[in-house]
Amino acid sequence: MTGVPAHAAPAASAPDHLGDPVQPKAGLWNIANLLTMARLVLVPGFVLLLLHGDGHDPAWRSFAWAAFAIAMITDLFDGELARRYGLVTDFGKIADPIADKAIMGAALVGLSALGDLPWWVTVVILVRELGITLLRFWVIRHAVIPASRGGKMKTLAQGIAVGMYILMLTGPLATVRAWMMAIAVILTVATGLDYVRQAIVLRRAGLAAERAAAVAAAAAVPDGAEAGASAGAKAIGVGAVPGAAPPVATAAATAAAGTAAAAAAESGAGAGAGGAGTAAGADDSDADDLDSGVSAELSAGAGAGAGVGADADFAAETPAAERQHGV
């Protein structure tokens, strides 16, 4: 026995991080955020290159493709660098998805405006991207929807297909880019439905956990009330003698016992006087000596019995608690 309470002793399995170096908080101007900023700056430049002239100049379309390719490459590296080297910041969390949607949306809308890409393809992809972003905010209070492998494949397919549409391709390459865009649209719809399913499951699980916590909290309230009532009862009963009546009841019992004792004493006194008179009559009459002596003894016995009865009545009517304390 060491004398130390068990709850005061440190847990043996608890890790000690006192000597660990403090990780500095990542600043705004780090390599990951700089890549994200560069991608945001490239968006208006890309639009100008894509729509230069009539929008169908192969040279300017090639420049636009280069800007789009740089933006997509930076998208692959900024997130990986931020996670690997601890460069995650609030700015990066907000700016990175905005930059992704901005460059892809600008390319899709520009190609559809030029007549190179059907508008329904642009609408399907943009509705899916914006819808999933809103869906993430819908369930962010309960859980985070993780990026799936299908989502990464979708991003890669979209980047390749849109890049091929930016270039002025003809012949078999034009057919290849059409098939590539079809694959991108299928992956876009499929992964979008999967994200919707995940969001519904995560939200239901979160709501169920909240309801369970609310029920547990409500069930704990009566227990606390009962504990408070018990503590109050104990506080009221402090100092009370076991078996003793409350103060008011004790006073009433004492008064009743005094009245009964006085009545019994008066009865005993009267019986004693009668016995004494009978004994005197026996001394004056010699003829009735024997009879009078017997009568005197009987009277004296009656008086003594009355006194004993009075004492017994007083003892019976006196509460046990008063006899115990000598009242």
Side-chain angles (χ1 to χ4, degrees), residues 89-203:
T89 61
D90 293 336
F91 171 81
K93 294 177 182 178
I94 298 174
D96 183 70
I98 292 176
D100 297 343
K101 304 301 184 292
I103 190 67
M104 184 60 68
L108 291 170
V109 173
L111 290 172
S112 294
L114 292 173
D116 295 336
L117 184 68
W119 275 106
W120 69 267
V121 174
T122 298
V123 171
V124 168
I125 294 178
L126 290 183
V127 168
R128 186 269 187 197
E129 298 298 334
L130 296 177
I132 295 304
T133 301
L134 295 177
L135 204 62
R136 290 181 185 275
F137 284 107
W138 185 54
V139 300
I140 194 171
R141 186 167 62 92
H142 307 286
V144 176
I145 303 177
S148 63
R149 180 172 298 181
K152 296 179 180 179
M153 293 176 61
K154 178 269 306 178
T155 302
L156 180 61
Q158 284 182 0
I160 295 174
V162 172
M164 295 180 72
Y165 268 88
I166 294 173
L167 293 172
M168 298 296 295
L169 301 178
T170 58
L173 290 177
T175 304
V176 171
R177 74 179 183 180
W179 281 103
M180 196 67 191
M181 183 59 73
I183 294 174
V185 171
I186 293 173
L187 290 175
T188 298
V189 174
T191 55
L193 294 176
D194 182 62
Y195 278 129
V196 171
R197 180 192 62 81
Q198 291 186 52
I200 294 175
V201 171
L202 291 174
R203 183 171 175 82

Side-chain angles (χ1 to χ4, degrees), residues 1-103:
M1 298 293 294
T2 60
V4 180
H7 61 82
S13 59
D16 183 9
H17 297 290
L18 295 178
D20 295 350
V22 178
Q23 296 292 338
K25 185 177 180 180
L28 175 63
W29 301 99
N30 58 67
I31 184 61
N33 288 345
L34 290 175
L35 291 175
T36 301
M37 294 176 190
R39 193 160 67 255
L40 287 170
V41 172
L42 280 173
V43 174
F46 163 76
V47 173
L48 291 176
L49 293 172
L50 180 65
L51 301 179
H52 185 271
D54 62 353
H56 293 92
D57 189 337
W60 289 102
R61 294 284 287 264
S62 297
F63 293 143
W65 176 86
F68 180 81
I70 293 173
M72 296 304 295
I73 291 173
T74 58
D75 182 34
L76 296 176
F77 285 102
D78 60 354
E80 182 64 24
L81 290 173
R83 289 186 294 269
R84 179 174 298 182
Y85 297 104
L87 303 177
V88 178
T89 61
D90 293 336
F91 171 81
K93 294 177 182 178
I94 298 174
D96 183 70
I98 292 176
D100 297 343
K101 304 301 184 292
I103 190 67

Side-chain angles (χ1 to χ4, degrees), residues 300-326:
V308 173
D311 292 339
D313 293 338
F314 175 78
E317 295 180 4
T318 302
E322 296 180 0
R323 293 200 305 271
Q324 179 179 356
H325 293 285

